[in-house]
Amino acid sequence: MKHILVTGGAGFIGSNYINHILQERDDYFIVNLDKLTYAGNLENLKASENNPRYTFVKGDITNHELVDYLFKKFDIRYVINFAAESHVDRSILGSQIFYQTNVIGTNVLLEAARRHNVERFLQVSTDEVEGLFTESTPLSPNSPYSSSKTAADMMAMAFYHTYGMPVLITRCSNNYGPLQFPEKLIPLMIINALHDKKLPVYGDGKNVRDWIYVIDHNRAIDLVFNNGRLGEVYNIGASTEMYNIDIVKLILKELGKTESLIEYVKDRPGHDRRYAIDSTKIQTELGWKPEYNFADAISKTIRWYLDNKEWWERIISGAYTQYYQKQYGNK
Ligand code: NAD
Ligand code: DAU
């Protein structure tokens, strides 16, 4: 049995990973350490909560004592670090928590992993550290968020070179799919459109993002986790570059709503014009390729938000706290 510490597993990508991978693999025992920030949601893990190979611990990755205790208690041999402050706009409003969690938190995990001689440590990173293209492109982060992720990547690599730690890094493009917090472009636009509210498009709407369905990302993570070469970075992307405005129009069309809901608003400061990731390396070296095409997967995603109104209504009405208390007590 592989004893894996998965951090940030109550967020969008981490919860999709846990729910998916516990079905796929019967040799994983997962300890999910999550602080349950505004973005963490135990409801996302309903499919896994009764699985005997899964356990949840509420806590902060910056807490040395707790992290050390968990390594000992659960005999952790592997780490997959999803935990992060993940939203660029929030990082522009206040950067401190981003460096605290994304940099210091990663350091606490790496140090604990080093003390406990883990067999693999996978750092989940982002194409935003590169902006354009390959694993060897000079890093060029432009937001507090991406600079904090860059620092974490460089730290993880330093631990590989200095201490010989078994580190791997994945850098993925923009994810979409079920359970994404409705501050990110796609869920925000779906929900605003359903309420006939304005859809705020930054700048001229011609910024380009490269979209991937969350399950394809998670399949790639698991492949790198098991078969990736130590000390290597793997880009993950589905070669689906889209203008933001085209995504917004597509959502409106699927929902039968008018384009007059679109409102061009002041641009995001430091807004990166284009991300496009070259994932040739993971494709040729590990044989990964995306399974979902954008047209089908975006329809599936929109359908999920239509079918799961209660999930996002609780979030946007701020009814979260009371709901947690009722469902999960002080977990
Ligand atoms: P998310 O914001 O939905 O979830 C983050 C999770 O981390 C939440 O459950 C939160 O409670 C938890 N968390 C935050 N601070 C913590 C702390 N100090 N200790 C413990 N838990 C903490 O984020 P996401 O979109 O699921 O992203 C997951 C990871 O993937 C991040 O590292 C992000 O940088 C990376 N990533 C995201 C995307 C994307 O498109 N969303 C793309 C590439 C990489
Ligand atoms: O590229 C990977 C990154 O993708 C991840 O590392 C981040 O964690 C994740 O948040 C995401 O970052 P982006 O900034 O690209 O995602 P976001 O959904 O915030 O915005 C996508 C694009 O849409 C971006 O160009 C900004 C624009 N946008 C976003 C919002 C929320 C708008 O035009 N209007 C909006 O209201």
Side-chain angles (χ1 to χ4, degrees):
M1 191 66 71
K2 284 187 154 144
H3 287 211
I4 309 168
L5 179 66
V6 170
T7 68
F12 163 50
I13 303 174
S15 61
N16 273 291
Y17 176 77
I18 292 172
N19 292 335
H20 174 74
I21 217 64
L22 284 173
Q23 299 304 316
E24 297 284 306
R25 313 274 311 213
D26 56 13
D27 59 336
Y28 284 13
F29 177 79
I30 292 180
V31 178
N32 173 13
L33 172 62
D34 196 297
K35 185 179 170 184
L36 298 183
T37 67
Y38 78 93
N41 185 348
L42 286 180
E43 260 191 274
N44 297 355
L45 291 151
K46 280 225 164 82
S48 305
E49 64 186 6
N50 294 322
N51 191 312
R53 291 181 292 108
Y54 168 78
T55 191
F56 174 74
V57 177
K58 182 177 174 182
D60 194 321
I61 59 166
T62 65
N63 182 338
H64 294 265
E65 290 79 17
L66 172 65
V67 169
D68 213 52
Y69 167 78
L70 294 178
F71 270 82
K72 282 191 212 120
K73 174 167 179 182
F74 294 105
D75 189 21
I76 297 296
R77 309 301 311 136
Y78 303 88
V79 178
I80 305 181
N81 183 24
F82 289 97
E85 288 293 335
S86 70
H87 195 49
V88 175
D89 291 331
R90 287 182 190 252
S91 80
I92 294 167
L93 293 173
S95 64
Q96 203 187 346
I97 188 70
F98 282 73
Y99 295 109
Q100 187 66 26
T101 288
N102 301 358
V103 184
I104 305 296
T106 303
N107 180 253
V108 168
L109 293 171
L110 281 165
E111 285 291 1
R114 184 161 81 90
R115 275 194 301 281
H116 294 274
N117 292 313
V118 298
E119 291 173 39
R120 285 173 106 78
F121 186 110
L122 192 150
Q123 174 67 9
V124 179
S125 187
T126 164
D127 64 354
E128 298 206 8
V129 311
E130 285 170 19
L132 285 178
F133 302 135
T134 71
E135 290 83 349
S136 53
T137 303
L139 303 180
S140 58
N142 290 323
S143 71
Y145 163 71
S146 55
S147 70
S148 70
K149 294 295 289 185
T150 306
D153 280 16
M154 297 184 92
M155 188 193 322
M157 276 308 171
F159 273 61
Y160 168 76
H161 290 293
T162 307
Y163 305 116
M165 282 222 8
V167 164
L168 301 133
I169 295 176
T170 54
R171 291 192 186 135
C172 190
S173 61
N174 284 63
N175 285 221
Y176 64 99
L179 303 171
Q180 186 167 34
F181 194 85
E183 63 187 352
K184 306 289 199 284
L185 181 75
I186 289 178
L188 180 79
M189 296 298 164
I190 296 171
I191 291 168
N192 278 14
L194 288 173
H195 288 111
D196 294 310
K197 277 172 65 179
K198 290 289 182 192
L199 273 50
V201 173
Y202 299 162
D204 63 1
K206 290 283 181 65
N207 297 68
V208 172
R209 294 293 181 268
D210 188 353
W211 294 92
I212 183 169
Y213 192 59
V214 63
I215 298 297
D216 276 333
H217 179 192
N218 282 330
R219 286 177 38 253
I221 284 182
D222 202 56
L223 197 60
V224 172
F225 174 59
N226 283 292
N227 302 332
R229 282 183 295 133
L230 300 181
E232 292 291 319
V233 177
Y234 292 89
N235 285 349
I236 304 166
S239 302
T240 309
E241 285 185 57
M242 305 267 295
Y243 288 127
N244 292 339
I245 188 64
D246 289 341
I247 300 229
V248 171
K249 286 182 178 169
L250 187 153
I251 291 169
L252 287 169
K253 192 165 171 228
E254 290 246 350
L255 293 173
K257 298 285 182 174
T258 161
E259 288 187 10
S260 63
L261 288 175
I262 294 171
E263 182 173 49
Y264 290 94
V265 299
K266 195 168 163 295
D267 209 351
R268 173 187 276 175
H271 197 175
D272 286 326
R273 194 67 178 163
R274 175 175 169 226
Y275 300 139
I277 195 132
D278 180 345
S279 55
T280 306
K281 179 172 168 179
I282 188 172
Q283 303 213 18
T284 52
E285 202 177 302
L286 301 181
W288 174 86
K289 62 175 188 334
E291 282 179 357
Y292 291 84
N293 74 59
F294 186 76
D296 294 342
I298 191 76
S299 295
K300 193 176 156 78
T301 301
I302 293 171
R303 170 56 45 205
W304 187 87
Y305 281 88
L306 287 170
D307 291 344
N308 288 275
K309 281 192 179 158
E310 285 186 3
W311 180 88
W312 53 261
E313 275 171 351
R314 262 196 286 278
I315 293 173
I316 59 177
S317 70
Y320 247 169
T321 320
Q322 298 95 305
Y323 178 79
Y324 277 143
Q325 282 296 328
K326 211 163 142 229
Q327 289 289 106
Y328 304 107
N330 290 319
K331 221 172 191 180

